[in-house]
Amino acid sequence: MSAVLIVAEHDGQTLHTGVARVASCGLAIGADRLDVAVLGRDCGDVAQQAAQIEGVSRVLCLDRGENANPLAAVQAPQIAALAGIGYSHVLGPSTTFGKDLMPRVAALLGVPQVSDIMSVEGERRFKRPIYAGNAVLTVEAPAEHIVVGTARLASWPAAAEGGEAAIEEAQTDAELPDHTSWLELKSAESERPDLQSASVVVSGGRALGSSENFSLLYDLADRLGAAVGASRAAVDAGYVSNDMQVGQTGKIIAPDLYFAIGISGAIQHLTGIKDAGVIVAINKDPEAPIFEIADIGLVGDLFAIVPEIQAAVEGS
C-alpha cells in the first residue's frame, strides 16, 4: 500500500500551477491515497484550490504563524513529521521552492532524494535526466525507506480539475528552528504569463544585441499573450535579468509553442525546451544547432522577420 504526500507551493493566495503536475506524478505511482500539504497562514483559499485537483484524497492545512512565509528551514521539519504518519512517498515540484525544501526533508528523514522525476516505472522506480538531458538514468529507491522526490514539471501534464477532496486541519509536534528568519521578498513583477506555466513563450538570444532591442520580443509576446524568456548568453550579456533564463541552469519549460529568436541552440538551452510542443527558430546562421530540433526554421535577419510576424498576428 502506498500513500503520497505532495507539498504545495503557493504565494499565500494562489496555488502554484505546478502542484497539479506533481499530482500527475503521484497518480502515476499508483498511490492508494494522494494528499496535499498546504503550509501557510490563513491559507484556506489555497487549500480549496488544492482540493479541486482530480485524484487528491485530502488536503492537510498546517495553518500557523511560522508558516506565513515559505521558509524551507521552518517547513522541512513539519513535512518530515507528517511523512512519518504513514506516507510512502513525499513529492514536491522541481522549482526553486522545491529544490530548497525537499533536500532538507530528505536529510531529516535520513533518505536519499530522487530529483527531477520525469517518468514512473514502478512504485519505487523512476527515470530522471542527467548530463544536461543527454542521458536518462533509471533509479530505484530502497523499499524500506520513504521516497522523497521532486517532479520535473515539464515532463508531467497538469492533473484535471473537478476534485472534491476533504480539507482537514493538521498539526505536528516538530521542533522549529529559529536560526533562520524572513526578511523580505524581491521579485520582478510582470503582467505577462509566468514563464514556467505559459503555453506560449518568446525567447531571445545574444543576437538581439542590447536590452533595448528586447522590446521587439516584448511587443510580439504581448500580441501573442506569451511569456518572455532568454538564453544564458543574453542574460550574461546583461540584456535581461536572470529570472528570464531558459535552460539547464535556468528554467525548464514545456510550452505548447516556443519561439527561439536569435538563439544558436547550445545544449544547455536545448535541455530547457526539449519538451516544448512546437519550436519555431529564427536565426541568420543556417548551421545553428537550434535548427536540428526546430519544427519550423526561418533563416534570416530577426529584425526583419519578427516585425513581419507581428504584422501577421495583428492582421489575423
Side-chain angles (χ1 to χ4, degrees):
M1 178 177 178
S2 60
V4 176
L5 178 67
I6 294 173
V7 184
E9 179 176 353
H10 62 91
D11 63 5
Q13 297 178 327
T14 305
L15 190 71
H16 191 282
T17 55
V19 177
R21 295 178 182 269
V22 181
S24 291
C25 179
L27 292 170
I29 293 172
D32 300 289
R33 189 172 83 247
L34 183 69
D35 294 346
V36 176
V38 176
L39 288 75
R41 182 61 176 161
D42 299 326
C43 52
D45 290 345
V46 175
Q48 288 285 352
Q49 295 167 43
Q52 295 172 16
I53 299 175
E54 193 70 42
V56 172
S57 307
R58 296 185 304 166
V59 176
L60 304 178
C61 192
L62 283 80
D63 195 328
R64 55 188 297 177
E66 294 90 338
N67 293 332
N69 298 298
L71 280 173
V74 171
Q75 292 190 356
Q78 299 173 73
I79 297 300
L82 278 180
I85 57 174
Y87 290 100
S88 56
H89 299 69
V90 183
L91 300 177
S94 189
T95 59
T96 301
F97 167 83
K99 291 176 181 178
D100 187 21
L101 174 63
M102 301 310 293
R104 296 171 185 262
V105 175
L108 289 171
L109 292 172
V111 301
Q113 176 180 297
V114 182
S115 302
D116 294 323
I117 297 171
M118 60 188 301
S119 71
V120 175
E121 306 299 310
E123 187 174 310
R124 293 175 174 271
R125 191 178 179 87
F126 312 95
K127 286 187 175 180
R128 61 177 301 267
I130 59 173
Y131 299 131
N134 287 317
V136 176
L137 184 70
T138 301
V139 297
E140 187 161 357
E144 66 273 16
H145 296 309
I146 295 174
V147 177
V148 176
T150 57
R152 187 175 185 267
L153 299 187
S155 299
W156 297 97
E161 296 184 355
E164 296 180 349
I167 300 176
E168 301 178 7
E169 295 292 331
Q171 294 181 344
T172 72
D173 57 0
E175 183 177 347
L176 305 185
D178 57 9
H179 58 70
T180 303
S181 60
W182 179 272
L183 295 180
E184 62 178 332
L185 172 65
K186 292 183 178 180
S187 61
E189 294 185 3
S190 174
E191 295 181 356
R192 299 186 184 94
D194 175 70
L195 183 57
Q196 286 189 288
S197 59
S199 59
V200 181
V201 173
V202 177
S203 278
R206 186 164 47 193
L208 268 296
S210 69
S211 56
E212 290 76 17
N213 287 338
F214 255 80
S215 61
L216 191 67
L217 302 195
Y218 297 143
D219 291 342
L220 176 59
D222 291 342
R223 287 171 171 78
L224 295 172
V228 179
S231 68
R232 178 172 179 174
V235 171
D236 288 347
Y239 301 161
V240 294
S241 59
N242 60 9
D243 63 305
M244 293 172 59
Q245 183 176 323
V246 174
Q248 180 187 5
T249 54
K251 292 181 171 65
I252 307 295
I253 61 176
D256 298 327
L257 176 60
Y258 183 76
F259 285 88
I261 300 175
I263 295 175
S264 61
I267 185 61
Q268 290 84 357
H269 187 80
L270 301 185
T271 297
I273 63 170
K274 62 186 301 183
D275 293 311
V278 175
I279 298 174
V280 179
I282 301 173
N283 201 294
K284 67 180 181 181
D285 179 8
E287 302 299 322
I290 190 69
F291 289 125
E292 296 179 8
I293 67 163
D295 299 284
I296 300 172
L298 300 174
V299 178
D301 183 357
L302 68 89
F303 295 103
I305 294 175
V306 173
E308 290 181 10
I309 296 175
Q310 291 179 1
V313 171
E314 291 174 351
S316 63

